[in-house]
Amino acid sequence: MTHAVTQVSGPAVLLQRDDIDTDALFPAEFLTVTTREGMGQYLFADWLRNGNPEAALGAAARPVRVLVAPRNFGCGSSREHAVWALADYGVQAVLALSFGDIFRNNCVKNDVVAAQLTPDDHALLAQAGDGVVLTLDVARASVQLPDGRSLPFTLAPGHAEQLMSDEDDIARTLRFDDALLAHEARIARTTPWLLPPV
Amino acid sequence: MSTLFDKIWAAHVVARNEAGQDLVYIDRHLLHEVSSPQAFAGLAAAGRRVRQPGRHVAIQDHNVPTTADRLTRGASPQGQAQIALLRRNAHDFQVPLIDLDDARQGIVHVVAPEQGLVLPGSTVVCGDSHTATLGALGAIAWGIGTSEAEHVLSTQSLWLRKPASMGVEVVGALPAGVTAKDLALATIAQIGTGGGVGHAIEYFGAAVRALSMEGRLTLCNMTIEAGSRFGLVAPDATTAAYLRSRVQGPARTHFEAAVAAWQALATGSPDDYARHVRIDASRVTPRLTWGTTPADSASFTGHVADPATVDDAVERSRLQAALRYMGLTPGQRVDSIPVDVAFIGSCTNSRIEDLRSAADVLRGRRIADGVRALVVPGSTQVKRQAEAEGLDQVFRAAGFEWRESGCSMCVGLNGDQVGAGQHCASTSNRNFENRQGQGGRTHLMSPAAVAASALRGRMTDPREFLP
């Protein structure tokens, strides 16, 4: 994904429970897919079948652009499918008290903003309720409510730069090829047991 | 002063960017059929190659059938296609493959240590959150997403901000009949499902030193359930003894020099950790989970939580939903919960010592009527070893099915599933809703506890069956 993301704006949906895991976001049953596209149809599939009302995302607001969640959102499995499903569904940002670390990195790789809120600011957004239109500014690390109030959020280090860049991640890293080659030469000199088998 | 984690990290930093992220060199990358297809597709679409094919190993494990006829009959057409695709990608990109018919096949986190593919002081990644398992060997090992896997294939590196450190010190000694799994569940209950977020956890102290390598693998395995991607144990004589006969290639050639270098990796002092948590091993008892997060656990003599006693509204409603899903009543005794399915397997508890401890409980006994029980060894090598020791006969005689290796009922991808409303005593690592099958109710515990619970047909402390 290589689109520059500077702003996200749209209706938000509020999730109530802590520890929403990636198995809930994207049930294992669908993990036999071999592409990234069209995953939105599987978002919260088990919860929908179980009749869990929280899974009826956007009953109050469509298209859903922002999710607001409490603690440890996206914990559990490393499956990037959870983010592919959110993004395909239309979600461009998740605001939460905390995130699973792997999920958070998977978000930025797919141009989804994963922004951390303080408990006080989370409570303010929760009061605003389902369907409230939020506008996130990545460079300023702030989210604006319809009444003009602006709340700060925190992105993981490096994520703002990645979101706002349209350069391919791998191409950017390969600019460090000399340093990578030097490291590989250093392994051969100092820790030869870490060399790959030839 | 610096920690084990600091030292390994520093030795792998290739560059640093303005945002404070380090470009970390990756010594070893493990792949499996479920999280890798889109990574290889990305490489192919961009016309990129694998930078160092010899640093990657692909293993078929997540959706493989565990039935005896699995080489000729797949669990599903989609699963079979995914297995075939990994085979093709490994061939096209010249990545070494441990295929379904390979004598080394098994769960990636069981096979990698078994084959000497993980070394102390190294960095290891895999598109699987339980990669922290491998930190037991004194490596920095963590789970990554598919886009990160593509980045590693292409650049042999990842950009990361160094996490804060947390030392989990386990003092004293685990009582007889108490296992690494019980310690893991007790640790998660203490620090919480999000307690390790943003941290790398190092386990140390007398009780950790006393664990076998397999016990350490079990302990590190569940680090992600406390929110931390990284769990590790400093290398010592146990580590070197485990690896000596397993390492291959350059690691075999340079093994003694490596062992000498590993001694310098240990953390200087407990003051070096940003956070320090202490656990008294002598107070840990056999545990099981009753709820829908791995932190929802109790001793076998304990009770299910009562939401009415919880002040926090969010936590109260979470507990109410968990009890509803699990079909339990507030304050219910956990040893009154029935067992419908018993599962021994997964990257947490499917190694030879796990199978021996379950067999010790089952020997000469028969599981309760109506319980469906299966053992899925973590690797084909574990399976052969167990058969050589006659453990398969103990399990079969007790009423367990004896299967081929794979992830199986831990992730429920291959047709091995728990039915709606069924309670499963399971040695796996996640009790999330629907994890083992639609509506399935997972109770995490040790292999001996699963065996004891299968015998009684309700959740049972394994010490009741020990001499």
Side-chain angles (χ1 to χ4, degrees):
Chain A
M1 302 290 152
T2 54
H3 308 291
V5 179
T6 55
Q7 196 188 68
V8 172
S9 188
V13 164
L14 205 64
L15 294 164
Q16 305 286 355
R17 64 164 104 177
D18 291 340
D19 299 313
I20 293 179
D21 57 75
T22 52
D23 273 81
L25 289 164
F26 191 95
E29 173 185 352
F30 309 109
L31 282 176
T32 51
V33 297
T34 55
T35 62
R36 298 168 184 249
E37 291 77 32
M39 298 296 115
Q41 60 184 307
Y42 306 121
L43 185 67
F44 286 124
D46 278 340
W47 280 13
L48 286 169
R49 282 185 292 209
N50 293 355
N52 179 340
E54 271 201 85
L57 280 187
R62 277 179 202 272
V64 179
R65 288 283 178 256
V66 182
L67 296 184
V68 180
R71 284 179 291 245
N72 209 22
F73 186 82
C75 62
S77 160
S78 62
R79 63 190 67 168
E80 195 163 320
H81 308 65
V83 180
W84 298 333
L86 285 169
D88 185 51
Y89 193 84
V91 174
Q92 297 171 352
V94 184
L95 293 153
L97 287 172
S98 62
F99 292 93
D101 285 330
I102 303 173
F103 174 85
R104 204 173 187 190
N105 281 348
N106 286 341
C107 280
V108 71
K109 290 283 188 185
N110 292 281
D111 298 333
V112 174
V113 181
Q116 195 168 3
L117 293 168
T118 64
D120 287 348
D121 291 338
H122 180 267
L124 283 176
L125 286 188
Q127 280 165 17
D130 268 345
V132 62
V133 173
L134 299 177
T135 303
L136 287 81
D137 185 315
V138 173
R140 291 186 179 161
S142 68
V143 54
Q144 194 164 31
L145 287 110
D147 62 11
R149 275 182 300 170
S150 186
L151 310 174
F153 59 68
T154 312
L155 297 174
H159 283 196
E161 292 82 351
Q162 267 178 277
L163 287 166
M164 292 188 288
S165 164
D166 58 4
E167 191 180 12
D168 175 89
D169 285 348
I170 291 174
R172 187 170 41 176
T173 301
L174 289 176
R175 285 198 266 120
F176 292 84
D177 198 43
D178 288 349
L180 286 163
L181 288 167
H183 183 85
E184 283 162 350
R186 194 155 63 237
I187 294 173
R189 276 199 318 276
T190 62
T191 52
W193 51 88
L194 292 179
L195 287 169
V198 272
Chain B
M1 296 302 286
S2 61
T3 64
L4 167 66
F5 188 91
D6 294 333
K7 292 175 191 178
I8 302 173
W9 187 277
H12 287 80
V13 173
V14 173
R16 173 166 282 199
N17 68 19
E18 302 80 3
Q21 289 175 305
D22 291 331
L23 185 62
V24 176
Y25 195 80
I26 306 301
D27 294 315
R28 179 72 70 192
H29 178 208
L30 306 163
L31 301 104
H32 61 78
E33 77 278 17
V34 168
S35 63
S36 66
Q38 299 85 348
F40 285 115
L43 284 190
R48 290 179 172 132
R49 63 183 182 88
V50 177
R51 182 185 179 90
Q52 296 229 339
R55 291 191 178 277
H56 308 260
V57 178
I59 304 179
Q60 313 269 20
D61 65 357
H62 270 61
N63 74 39
V64 303
T66 56
T67 47
D69 60 354
R70 67 177 178 171
L71 293 181
T72 52
R73 200 166 62 88
S76 69
Q78 298 90 335
Q80 252 176 323
Q82 227 173 24
I83 289 169
L85 183 55
L86 181 59
R87 205 169 281 146
R88 196 170 77 222
N89 281 329
H91 173 267
D92 291 353
F93 289 92
Q94 296 178 355
V95 167
L97 171 69
I98 297 180
D99 210 342
L100 199 50
D101 60 353
D102 194 304
R104 300 166 298 167
Q105 185 273 339
I107 304 170
V108 57
H109 309 310
V110 176
V111 172
E114 197 171 75
Q115 298 300 323
L117 297 173
V118 177
L119 297 179
S122 68
T123 51
V124 186
V125 296
C126 174
D128 187 283
S129 62
H130 290 109
T131 308
T133 310
L134 307 172
L137 289 132
I140 298 183
W142 72 101
I144 58 174
T146 299
S147 296
E148 290 176 309
E150 182 180 336
H151 192 275
V152 173
L153 285 164
S154 185
T155 71
Q156 209 58 49
S157 63
L158 284 172
W159 289 100
L160 284 113
R161 172 72 165 235
K162 190 177 162 188
S165 62
M166 185 190 307
V168 173
E169 180 175 17
V170 191
V171 299
L174 290 172
V178 180
T179 68
K181 180 62 161 286
D182 303 307
L183 177 57
L185 290 174
T187 305
I188 298 162
Q190 180 163 334
I191 67 181
T193 53
V197 168
H199 288 75
I201 294 181
E202 182 181 341
Y203 300 96
F204 69 107
V208 176
R209 285 282 133 245
L211 288 175
S212 68
M213 185 49 60
E214 296 193 4
R216 295 177 190 185
L217 289 161
T218 298
L219 179 60
C220 289
N221 173 273
M222 292 198 67
T223 309
I224 186 72
E225 315 312 337
S228 169
R229 275 180 293 176
F230 312 89
L232 65 170
V233 175
D236 60 8
T238 300
T239 319
Y242 178 88
L243 286 171
R244 184 167 274 111
S245 62
R246 300 171 191 270
V247 289
Q248 305 150 30
R252 179 176 284 274
T253 311
H254 301 282
F255 191 72
E256 296 311 325
V259 171
W262 296 338
Q263 284 170 12
L265 291 174
T267 295
S269 137
D271 298 334
D272 295 339
Y273 304 108
R275 279 176 66 192
H276 183 177
V277 174
R278 266 171 80 102
I279 292 174
D280 182 351
S282 70
R283 297 174 65 87
V284 179
T285 54
R287 295 181 79 84
L288 79 165
T289 63
W290 45 261
T292 54
T293 83
D296 297 332
S297 69
S299 293
F300 278 86
T301 51
H303 300 78
V304 169
D306 182 354
T309 64
V310 175
D311 290 335
D312 180 70
V314 170
E315 176 64 1
R316 189 165 59 241
S317 75
R318 184 191 75 78
L319 287 172
Q320 284 163 343
L323 295 192
R324 197 160 50 240
Y325 180 85
M326 295 298 290
L328 301 172
T329 54
Q332 180 179 347
R333 282 182 62 108
V334 293
D335 62 5
S336 68
I337 300 171
V339 176
D340 302 296
V341 181
F343 171 63
I344 296 174
S346 89
C347 57
T348 315
N349 280 126
S350 62
R351 299 176 182 84
I352 191 67
E353 291 173 13
D354 297 318
L355 303 195
R356 286 177 190 146
S357 74
D360 284 345
V361 170
L362 294 170
R363 197 168 279 111
R365 299 187 171 103
R366 181 87 198 158
I367 61 173
D369 287 345
V371 174
R372 177 189 173 214
L374 68 164
V375 186
V376 180
S379 71
T380 304
Q381 197 164 306
V382 169
K383 181 169 187 272
R384 297 279 170 265
Q385 174 70 26
E387 287 168 350
E389 297 178 19
L391 304 183
D392 58 321
Q393 295 306 321
V394 175
F395 284 112
R396 285 179 200 272
F400 273 76
E401 296 174 46
W402 180 249
R403 297 291 192 91
E404 301 294 323
S405 73
C407 295
S408 181
M409 203 181 266
C410 174
V411 64
L413 260 177
N414 72 335
D416 299 340
Q417 290 197 337
V418 177
Q422 291 189 320
H423 290 275
C424 178
S426 177
T427 65
S428 56
N429 41 54
R430 290 201 170 121
N431 52 346
F432 301 159
E433 291 181 14
N434 307 302
R435 168 81 179 182
Q436 294 190 288
Q438 265 282 315
R441 295 163 170 168
T442 304
H443 301 272
L444 306 175
M445 62 190 82
S446 71
V450 169
S453 300
L455 290 174
R456 283 272 164 79
R458 56 182 170 74
M459 303 307 168
T460 302
D461 189 323
R463 292 175 300 185
E464 293 183 31
F465 287 97
L466 293 178

